[in-house]
Amino acid sequence: MAAPDWRALRERLDATPAPALYGRYTVLRPHRDDGNGWPPPYPARHNTHFAHRPPYQWRTETNGNLLLTDEETAPRLEQPGPDFPDDDGFPWAFDPHPCRLVHCANSSLLADAEPLGPARRVLYGDREGAAGVWEIPLRLHGPVPELRLTVDATAGILLDVRTPDGRYRERLVDLHFLALPEEHFRWSAQAEDKKRRQAVRAERLVQHGRTHRLPLPRWWPTPLGSHPELYDGDPDTGFLVVDLDVQPTTADRLRSALLVRRPLADPPYEGGRMRDPGLFVHRWRDEWWQWYLVLEGRPLTPKELGLTADSLREG
């Protein structure tokens, strides 16, 4: 089969109605740095299980949080497709959602794109199909100069959008094309039970914060208030996320700070505000814990980070 040109692939994305499907939507984005590579690169990851029943129904679940949408609450179809509204490039201010890849017809970014080379046929999981899956490099006019797109020409959707350097990537994986029943997009007893469990967990965290000493730095570069708050965690394992109650000042750009303590054997922490690429992230390990600082406004300097980390050491 002859490789289609970009115009043909673009028309395919525009002309094909969005299919019913479910699977997983993943995003990788770089966290903010100071312009000189500090803090060292660390990605913001976003992982959502989703189901779509055209035209409006979406079921998404991110970190145990379930969201059901309908015609009134779904992402608007007139605003789909990859788009990066920040003029400064990294990090991009978009709200991650699989709608960006499933609905592409009105993407202004793709409308202005120019091919950098021919499309080539690729395998993508088990997605090959009669019309094929094609990868094509594109030049863009804006803060993001180049993207690689993987187009499912059968379904008329984007499977993968990424930059050549690998710092950003959006993907649809584990896909199944199946019209799920209406009941799948309604609140069920199982969904209500999930909400109740989340409420119980939140209350347990509140009680733990009231009755136990939280991990707080004995040294910090700016004023801290007297009301640190337990934001997330699992008291049984020692995993805790604490809002340090930073007191903003006109003399310092630091506006907020979350301190994360996590057992060494646990996987890296990627939840909560770690998914926001507009924040600065420091991470380190000691003999007992993984530590993370998630900061708004500015990063700590290497000296400030060393003093803070030393002040958190046990013993």
Side-chain angles (χ1 to χ4, degrees):
M1 179 180 180
D5 60 16
W6 169 235
R7 177 182 295 181
L9 288 175
R10 185 75 179 86
E11 290 175 352
R12 188 68 177 171
L13 292 173
D14 291 352
T16 307
L21 76 163
Y22 65 92
R24 189 159 49 92
Y25 168 69
T26 69
V27 178
L28 180 73
R29 296 178 288 173
H31 276 110
R32 188 182 294 274
D33 64 31
D34 65 357
N36 297 302
W38 178 260
Y42 190 71
R45 301 179 190 272
H46 186 98
N47 196 1
T48 296
H49 291 274
F50 75 93
H52 175 49
R53 189 171 186 262
Y56 300 111
Q57 289 178 306
W58 290 90
R59 176 190 176 104
T60 58
E61 187 170 348
T62 304
N63 277 38
N65 295 315
L66 182 64
L67 181 64
L68 305 178
T69 64
D70 55 21
E71 185 170 355
E72 294 298 320
T73 58
R76 304 321 308 159
L77 301 189
E78 63 269 18
Q79 299 174 345
D83 182 35
F84 310 114
D86 276 1
D87 291 335
D88 297 329
F90 295 123
W92 295 307
F94 70 81
D95 184 17
H97 195 282
C99 181
R100 289 167 52 88
L101 305 186
V102 173
H103 295 280
C104 312
N106 296 309
S107 170
S108 59
L109 189 79
L110 298 186
D112 294 336
E114 300 172 358
L116 284 169
R120 66 183 186 94
R121 193 163 186 162
V122 295
L123 291 174
Y124 190 88
D126 62 354
R127 295 304 300 162
E128 189 172 14
V133 174
W134 303 90
E135 180 184 275
I136 188 165
L138 297 177
R139 177 187 293 113
L140 307 180
H141 302 280
V144 184
E146 185 178 341
L147 286 179
R148 298 281 197 276
L149 265 61
T150 302
V151 179
D152 186 325
T154 302
I157 63 175
L158 294 174
L159 297 174
D160 193 310
V161 182
R162 69 188 189 279
T163 52
D165 60 11
R167 297 186 69 197
Y168 150 80
R169 191 173 196 177
E170 281 184 272
R171 306 177 71 199
L172 301 179
V173 296
D174 304 331
L175 289 184
H176 301 271
F177 290 79
L178 180 67
L180 295 171
E182 173 76 26
E183 290 73 19
H184 193 73
F185 299 90
R186 293 177 180 166
W187 286 106
S188 63
Q190 180 184 15
E192 291 295 338
D193 183 59
K194 184 186 291 288
K195 288 176 63 178
R196 285 192 294 269
R197 291 198 304 270
Q198 290 172 345
V200 169
R201 180 174 181 271
E203 180 57 30
R204 184 165 178 255
L205 284 170
V206 170
Q207 290 298 326
H208 184 86
R210 290 172 179 166
T211 57
H212 292 73
R213 179 176 174 270
L214 299 177
L216 300 173
R218 296 184 295 276
W219 186 92
W220 188 254
T222 65
L224 295 177
S226 57
H227 299 287
E229 181 180 354
L230 190 52
Y231 177 81
D232 194 3
D234 179 0
D236 291 339
T237 68
F239 161 46
L240 297 175
V241 182
V242 181
D243 186 330
L244 294 184
D245 192 20
V246 169
Q247 301 296 294
T249 68
T250 57
D252 198 300
R253 300 193 309 277
L254 191 56
R255 290 293 174 262
S256 70
L258 288 180
L259 175 69
V260 182
R261 187 185 73 182
R262 195 162 174 88
L264 290 175
D266 281 6
Y269 177 64
E270 295 179 343
R273 298 196 74 193
M274 284 284 284
R275 296 195 300 268
D276 184 347
L279 303 179
F280 300 95
V281 172
H282 297 291
R283 61 190 179 110
W284 70 97
R285 299 163 73 96
D286 60 24
E287 295 92 329
W288 302 278
W289 305 103
Q290 303 176 51
W291 295 96
Y292 302 81
L293 276 170
V294 186
L295 308 175
E296 180 182 4
R298 71 167 178 90
L300 302 188
T301 67
K303 180 179 179 180
E304 290 172 338
L305 180 61
L307 291 170
T308 300
D310 286 343
S311 76
L312 284 161
R313 292 179 64 85
E314 298 181 354

